[in-house]
Amino acid sequence: MFVIGIDGGGTKTRVEIRNDKNQLLQRRIYGAFNINSIGRDAFRKLLNEIFSENMADCVSICIGAAGISNPDAGSILKEVLEQSDFRGTVKLCGDHEIALRGAMDTPGIGVIAGTGSICFGKNAVGETARSGGYGHLIDDCGSGYALGRDGLAACVRMFDGRAEKSILQDRILDALGIAAPEELIAFVYSADTKKSHIAALAASVLQAAEDGDPMAMHILHQEADEIVKMVSAVQRKLSLAGCPIALLGGLFASCNPYYAIVQEKLSRMGEVKAPAHDALWGAAQMAWEMQI
């Protein structure tokens, strides 16, 4: 008997297999998981790779991933598992759910900030709530995309003289290899420019902040305040005042000025903790707990 946890990411899929004693057997890495990005055929091929062995002895699977709510993902998954002789139980959930389960065993809140952002919490009676995570066009406050976007906005204001020129502009222009407003506009509105390209400029904002740039620091504080609002909303919904808060995602993977600012602001709302485990551990643990 064994269980499987899956952390399906935009660039890679991580799989953890545990035995009936909840002991790690192995971890594996595959390609991108999101069906919305890779398409039906590639998604089917990926699942056939993951479940290539006989699944008759697998009792539960937990999959946490972005795009898992796509109906096509569920139907293809069901078909592939039936062909592999799987007769157990499957749980499909968002990647924020497995991230929180990996981060802590207690009730609490996880804040994920990478290219995008989302806040997710769970209380002692199992109730859950989220805030944010509605995509870069209308949301993703406090994310890498938001930092990059705000940095670009500051650049054009500096070009115009609406804001005082600072090292932030130099950092962003150097990162893009451009020098004029027209080139910046061409980059921003090009069909080839994706949200990940904008989010990558968060690194330039962080660099400028490390150098003491006032505009960069203003951006970090502004977006950190948005993170505070997200956490506050979840705390109210779940009556989780003073709960532990885990900082997750690429922006919080290392100690940088943004991490320090967010940590300081959130410490007034609860203990800010490093995650105990990663999201894949959380997925495998949730798969095992399905059998308890």
Side-chain angles (χ1 to χ4, degrees):
M1 177 277 231
F2 62 95
V3 303
I4 296 177
I6 298 176
D7 176 16
T11 59
K12 64 182 177 182
T13 300
R14 301 188 303 148
V15 177
E16 179 168 317
I17 303 173
R18 297 185 188 178
N19 63 19
D20 59 348
K21 295 180 174 61
N22 204 23
Q23 297 169 328
L24 173 66
L25 295 178
Q26 59 178 297
R27 280 189 165 194
R28 302 173 180 171
I29 298 178
Y30 300 88
F33 189 89
N34 194 330
I35 190 173
N36 298 326
S37 300
I38 66 176
R40 291 172 53 92
D41 292 342
F43 185 70
R44 185 187 304 276
K45 181 180 178 181
L46 172 69
L47 294 182
N48 280 321
E49 291 177 4
I50 295 173
F51 305 122
S52 59
E53 301 172 7
N54 189 292
M55 295 287 289
D57 291 333
C58 181
V59 295
S60 60
I61 301 170
C62 176
I63 303 175
I68 198 63
S69 60
N70 185 318
D72 286 343
S75 61
I76 294 174
L77 175 65
K78 180 180 179 181
E79 178 184 331
V80 171
L81 287 176
E82 286 178 350
Q83 293 172 351
S84 68
D85 292 329
F86 174 75
R87 298 294 181 268
T89 306
V90 179
K91 178 178 179 62
L92 307 179
C93 59
D95 49 2
H96 52 281
E97 293 186 55
I98 61 173
L100 178 62
R101 183 64 192 88
M104 63 184 73
D105 290 323
T106 63
I109 289 174
V111 180
I112 305 175
T115 298
S117 64
I118 190 170
C119 177
F120 181 73
K122 186 173 185 178
N123 63 20
V125 296
E127 296 171 327
T128 62
R130 59 171 273 183
S131 64
Y134 297 102
H136 70 289
L137 291 180
I138 59 174
D139 196 29
D140 279 351
C141 299
S143 67
Y145 179 88
L147 296 184
R149 177 204 62 209
D150 292 353
L152 289 168
C155 278
V156 296
R157 291 197 296 272
M158 291 176 193
F159 275 129
D160 284 353
R162 288 180 285 160
E164 184 176 349
K165 189 179 185 310
S166 75
I167 195 173
L168 173 62
Q169 186 184 57
D170 296 332
R171 292 289 191 186
I172 289 179
L173 296 183
D174 287 347
L176 295 176
I178 63 177
E182 295 78 14
E183 294 176 285
L184 189 148
I185 293 169
F187 163 75
V188 170
Y189 295 103
S190 169
D192 294 329
T193 299
K194 310 301 181 185
K195 64 180 181 180
S196 59
H197 298 140
I198 304 295
L201 294 174
S204 298
V205 178
L206 293 176
Q207 290 170 0
E210 288 175 350
D211 292 333
D213 183 271
M215 179 59 77
M217 291 298 293
H218 171 74
I219 291 172
L220 297 189
H221 278 280
Q222 178 176 271
E223 293 304 328
D225 287 339
E226 294 297 326
I227 295 286
V228 169
K229 292 175 185 176
M230 293 164 64
V231 172
S232 178
V234 173
Q235 284 188 331
R236 288 195 305 272
K237 290 176 183 178
L238 298 177
S239 300
L240 278 174
C243 71
I245 304 166
L247 299 182
L248 312 163
L251 278 179
F252 300 138
S254 61
C255 188
N256 57 57
Y258 190 51
Y259 181 97
I261 291 169
V262 172
Q263 182 182 46
E264 191 276 328
K265 290 178 183 289
L266 290 181
S267 64
R268 308 164 195 169
M269 306 171 68
E271 180 187 3
V272 180
K273 304 174 61 174
H277 305 281
D278 63 10
L280 178 56
W281 186 96
Q285 184 67 15
M286 289 173 68
W288 186 76
E289 290 170 350
M290 289 162 62
Q291 303 307 307
I292 299 177

